[in-house]
Each structure stands twice: as structure tokens, then as C-alpha cells.
Amino acid sequence: MNKNTLETLKKYFGYASFREGQERIVNTILSGRDALAIMPTGAGKSICYQLPALMLPGITIVVSPLISLMQDQVKALNAAGIRAAYINSSLTESQISKALNYAAQGAYKIVYVAPERLETWEFGQFAARAEISMVTVDEAHCRPSYLKIVDFVTRLEPRPILSAFTATATEEVKEDIVCVLGLQNPEIVVTGFDRENLYYRVESIRKKDNFII
């Protein structure tokens, strides 16, 4: 592992080492290859694209359908000293224009965007002016709106690295993601779905309230 990568991990995220699968994905992205990561919730998927985003030139666009999640992540990134912004329906058109102007000028390293925004004229104008090093697709399990991502990426010159992340995916869904997003010879990392901090147990009981207490 590159010493600078570990130093960046420690400086911005507070970790001295990587979790399972993270280092492989980070190395893949930094080498310029597309990547698909299937990692359980809580396994640290976001670091797999946020860390390379800091080390790559230009901007990383993160496509996410979850407004509350992107807002939380942008807040955490800014608190850690990482310049980030989001573009979604919670903003006014004036706020969106302002954010895109700042982004085009290099004010942000990471820009989160709702998938439908990729189709807008204004976002297309921003993308044509900006240096986009990577497009990351979060929650990548085949959403209809994600079909537009391929059109967006093909308009970018040069083509950025494309990375995709999801918590669970069958073999069929994994193949769909690679196909639908047009991933080129991607490194595929699957770390399983098991979360060590959670377990399931079935109980046959009569007094449920007492059992819960």
C-alpha cells in the first residue's frame, strides 16, 4: 500500500488501517481501473471512493438516490476538512447554480448528485467545463434512473474511472450492474453480507413484553 494513501486515510478518516476489501478497491481505482464493490452495510464502502477522490486530480461525482444519506456524508466530509457538496431537490435552483459554479471552479473534490440531475442542461454544462476524474454510483443495484449514467459518462472526455457500490447483489444482479453501467474490465470485490455486530435468533415465548424488557 502506498504510504501516502495510509497517511490520507489517517489524516481525514482517523483510521490506521483498512477493513476487508477496502485496500483492494482503493488500489484498483487509483490505478485507473473501473471497480464494483459488493460490501455489507457498515463495512466502509464510502471510504473506498472518498479516499481515492482526495488523491485523484479533479472532481469525483457520486451518484446517489438517497438525499438524506448524501446530506449526512457531505456534512461529515466538510467537518473532516474535505470540500464536498450535493445537488438534489432539497436545494433551490439558485442554490444549485451557485454550487455548480463553485464546483466548476474547483471548489469541491466530491460532488454528490441525484441521478435525475445528470440529464439536466445545467449539469451537462458544468460537466463539460469540469475536470471529472471519477464517477461513483452508490446503491448500484439496478435502478431504472441509473441507465442515464452511461449516457452521461460517454459524453465526458476523457472517460473518467467508473466505480459502483452496493450492499448485496445476487450473481445475476452483479452481472446486470456491470452491463447496465458499462463498467470496463472492472475489478470486482465481494466481501459477503454478514455483519459481525448483528445476529438473528428465533424465540418461542408467551409473555412477549417481559421478554423484550
Side-chain angles (χ1 to χ4, degrees):
M1 168 55 68
N2 188 304
K3 180 182 178 182
N4 290 337
T5 308
L6 285 174
E7 288 176 350
T8 305
L9 178 69
K10 178 67 174 177
K11 177 181 178 179
Y12 289 101
F13 301 100
Y15 300 114
S17 60
F18 287 99
R19 297 183 187 180
E20 181 187 358
Q22 286 181 326
E23 183 175 352
R24 186 175 159 197
I25 288 292
V26 170
N27 282 342
T28 295
I29 292 171
L30 290 177
S31 72
R33 283 185 62 192
D34 289 356
L36 168 60
I38 301 170
M39 306 168 71
T41 301
K45 289 190 292 295
S46 59
I47 284 179
C48 294
Y49 58 83
Q50 290 172 351
L51 178 57
L54 292 175
M55 304 185 71
L56 291 168
I59 301 170
T60 289
I61 302 294
V62 180
V63 184
S64 173
L66 306 176
I67 290 178
S68 60
L69 179 61
M70 67 170 80
Q71 290 173 334
D72 289 345
Q73 291 204 3
V74 166
K75 182 179 180 181
L77 288 167
N78 284 312
I82 301 169
R83 295 167 300 159
Y86 58 80
I87 308 293
N88 59 44
S89 59
S90 71
L91 302 179
T92 65
E93 291 303 318
S94 174
Q95 289 173 321
I96 289 172
S97 295
K98 188 175 181 179
L100 289 176
N101 283 329
Y102 282 143
Q105 295 167 20
Y108 306 118
K109 286 297 290 179
I110 304 175
V111 175
Y112 285 77
V113 59
E116 60 272 12
R117 282 285 159 184
L118 299 178
E119 302 177 71
T120 65
W121 179 87
E122 189 173 26
F123 197 87
Q125 291 298 299
F126 149 73
R129 290 184 289 153
E131 180 187 5
I132 299 175
S133 297
M134 178 167 67
V135 174
T136 293
V137 184
D138 201 11
E139 305 294 330
H141 36 277
C142 288
R143 298 171 181 269
S145 57
Y146 280 8
L147 293 170
K148 301 297 182 182
I149 295 175
V150 180
D151 295 335
F152 173 73
V153 171
T154 55
R155 293 196 298 268
L156 299 177
E157 288 290 344
R159 179 189 183 274
I161 300 164
L162 191 53
S163 58
F165 296 84
T166 187
T168 56
T170 63
E171 189 66 29
E172 183 180 8
V173 170
K174 182 173 69 176
E175 293 174 0
D176 282 346
I177 292 172
V178 172
C179 179
V180 169
L181 293 180
L183 299 177
Q184 298 180 1
N185 187 31
E187 178 78 7
I188 300 176
V189 176
V190 182
T191 62
F193 60 87
D194 184 43
R195 295 176 63 182
E196 294 181 358
N197 61 324
L198 298 179
Y199 70 94
Y200 295 92
R201 188 174 71 192
V202 177
E203 296 281 350
S204 179
I205 54 176
R206 292 182 178 177
K207 298 181 178 180
K208 295 180 180 180
D209 290 344
N210 290 340
F211 177 80
I212 291 171
I213 292 172

